[in-house]
Amino acid sequence: MPKLIDHQQRRQELAEAAWRVIMRDGVGHVSVRAVAAEAAMSAGSLRHVFPTQEELLVFAMQFVLTRVRARIAALPPRPTIRQAVEAVARELLPLDAGRRAEMEVWLALFSAANAEKSLKGPRTEAHQALRDACRWMIGQLDNGVDLSPGRDLELEARRLHALLDGLAAHLVYEPPATDPGWATGVLATHLDSLRAC
């Protein structure tokens, strides 16, 4: 009996192989042949899953967002809204090796979208998803306790978005062995500063 192939799992495995090529060699070295070799399969087999290199790159970029959303959805309940918001925000930062890899790939593909028009749509979608997540977090904090009255919610969402982007970039640019505790401290201090007195 022929072996059944889980196409979604195969797509994810190929995206992860593309990530490894990107992290090791850069986006410019991603090709059907290079990713197929990284995944230990033939280029023809890869083309059955991703007919074009552009489709592979788009999926690799979207897969970052898929993984982030899955982690956030799996978060256990927290005792307070403030703690829940911080837990969500922490999932958006490269605080461990897996999330660091995601962020390195994300930043590489985000930049590549300037020249690769197939990546522009996913880049815009992901940017908007993060902005929406920041709006959601600020909206959660607007509960009479965790956000001082009269705050401009859109401005606070943009500030949080900028903070998360900046922290993520700094964490990626620092040596992998650097303790990320400083970044979680900055995040916690920012969230605390929003609180009503």
Side-chain angles (χ1 to χ4, degrees):
M1 180 157 203
K3 184 179 175 184
L4 295 175
I5 297 171
D6 181 335
H7 288 285
Q8 186 60 23
Q9 181 179 345
R10 176 64 56 89
R11 289 166 67 84
Q12 292 175 1
E13 289 168 358
L14 289 170
E16 289 170 352
W19 286 13
R20 291 191 296 275
V21 172
I22 290 167
M23 289 188 300
R24 185 182 59 239
D25 305 321
V27 176
H29 291 276
V30 173
S31 66
V32 169
R33 181 170 290 166
V35 174
E38 183 68 30
M41 69 167 45
S42 71
S45 295
L46 187 150
R47 286 195 188 279
H48 282 298
V49 181
F50 293 107
T52 67
Q53 179 178 318
E54 290 77 18
E55 289 179 64
L56 173 60
L57 285 173
V58 166
F59 185 80
M61 191 175 207
Q62 291 171 330
F63 189 47
V64 174
L65 194 56
T66 299
R67 285 176 45 146
V68 171
R69 285 177 171 150
R71 279 199 311 273
I72 290 171
L75 284 171
R78 296 297 198 273
T80 68
I81 291 172
R82 163 67 180 71
Q83 290 172 340
V85 165
E86 184 172 349
V88 169
R90 288 172 64 110
E91 289 302 324
L92 301 170
L93 295 175
L95 300 174
D96 57 36
R99 287 182 280 174
R100 183 184 177 98
E102 288 173 1
M103 187 57 63
E104 287 180 17
V105 168
W106 175 254
L107 290 172
L109 290 171
F110 192 90
S111 295
N114 292 327
E116 180 58 59
K117 58 183 177 179
S118 64
L119 295 175
K120 288 183 181 180
R123 178 176 70 179
T124 299
E125 174 192 342
H127 179 77
Q128 188 59 52
L130 181 53
R131 177 63 51 79
D132 290 344
C134 289
R135 285 186 181 117
W136 178 85
M137 287 185 272
I138 294 299
Q140 292 297 301
L141 294 174
D142 188 22
N143 57 25
V145 175
D146 296 309
L147 190 71
S148 59
R151 294 259 189 179
D152 180 330
L153 300 186
E154 183 62 19
L155 176 64
E156 293 305 336
R158 287 180 179 272
R159 281 200 328 148
L160 181 57
H161 188 169
L163 177 69
L164 291 171
D165 277 349
L167 290 174
H170 282 274
L171 285 164
V172 166
Y173 299 143
E174 290 187 347
T178 303
D179 180 358
W182 70 267
T184 56
V186 169
L187 173 63
T189 300
H190 174 71
L191 294 176
D192 287 343
S193 75
L194 301 175
R195 190 170 295 172
C197 297

